[in-house]
Amino acid sequence: MNHREHRNFLRHLDDYLSDSKKILDAWDAYSDEHTDLDGWPYDDHAYGMRASQRDADTLTAFEPLRYGARHLLATAEIQLAQLPENTVQSRWVYQLGVLRYALDRLDELHEQWLKTRDALPATAKAGTADFDDALAEHHAESWSYLDNWATHGSALREINAAARKARSPLAPIPLRALVRRTATRK
């Protein structure tokens, strides 16, 4: 994997974090407006349909990131292991674990969806109740793991930034620092 591909995967991550925040903010606004003070929806069916749309939109936003997610996790784990201890946030190890588990579950749920879709009657196509209900269930089961990526995905960006700032013990002293040291000795 080269640096350009890694940067592209990071861009997909940034897009997902931004898109999922917009989706969740829109959901929160809808939920606040369409529930009573105790959090009960005024219209269960409309509320459920809107939740289903939130789930589908979040999964659609994640799809461009899915291909590079394992690469980003593996890279972050390598970077984390090489960072000086004083630059490491203690939460990063936990967050990487949450992201890895969520990605594993999303992969399992995707495989389950493919099996479910293939087992549907030939008449079950997008737009039919059989297909749409099964897909909505898949989206609902995936949502909490997608939300984990929305919540903890920024750790991948933070680790990458820390790794880029960290000095390598093998890196030469920057020329400006060398010139300053020489100038102060005179």
Side-chain angles (χ1 to χ4, degrees):
M1 194 70 45
N2 65 40
H3 293 294
R4 180 180 297 158
E5 288 174 307
H6 183 73
R7 281 193 311 270
N8 282 337
F9 292 151
L10 287 171
R11 238 177 272 123
H12 289 309
L13 173 66
D14 292 342
D15 290 346
Y16 176 69
L17 295 176
S18 173
D19 292 347
S20 63
K21 182 177 180 348
K22 289 174 191 170
I23 292 165
L24 187 58
D25 288 349
W27 165 253
D28 288 343
Y30 175 88
S31 184
D32 288 347
E33 189 175 318
H34 293 88
T35 57
D36 65 20
L37 294 175
D38 293 325
W40 293 99
Y42 297 128
D43 180 339
D44 286 335
H45 178 73
Y47 192 82
M49 294 298 291
R50 181 62 182 82
S52 184
Q53 186 62 52
R54 175 206 61 195
D55 301 346
D57 290 346
T58 306
L59 186 58
T60 299
F62 186 76
E63 283 308 313
L65 173 59
R66 181 186 296 274
Y67 173 72
R70 290 217 181 272
H71 165 79
L72 289 174
L73 282 168
T75 301
E77 288 169 348
I78 291 167
Q79 290 170 327
L80 190 57
Q82 295 174 350
L83 284 172
E85 273 188 51
N86 64 337
T87 64
V88 174
Q89 298 287 323
S90 59
R91 63 185 163 78
W92 287 343
V93 172
Y94 166 77
Q95 288 176 296
L96 290 179
V98 169
L99 292 173
R100 182 167 300 287
Y101 179 76
L103 187 58
D104 289 345
R105 288 294 299 140
L106 287 168
D107 287 346
E108 290 171 14
L109 290 169
H110 181 71
E111 289 301 315
Q112 283 178 359
W113 160 244
L114 294 177
K115 288 177 185 172
T116 299
R117 183 193 65 191
D118 292 345
L120 290 172
T123 57
K125 304 286 182 212
T128 64
D130 287 344
F131 184 92
D132 290 351
D133 289 348
L135 184 58
E137 185 176 329
H138 167 65
H139 290 155
E141 290 171 345
S142 300
W143 191 82
S144 67
Y145 303 110
L146 296 166
D147 190 50
N148 284 340
W149 269 85
T151 302
H152 299 289
S154 60
L156 297 168
R157 184 51 101 168
E158 293 167 6
I159 293 167
N160 187 67
R164 293 188 67 182
K165 290 178 189 174
R167 284 186 42 94
S168 166
L170 303 175
I173 296 173
L175 185 57
R176 287 184 297 200
L178 189 57
V179 170
R180 273 186 268 144
R181 283 188 193 166
T182 306
T184 57
R185 288 187 186 156
K186 292 183 180 180

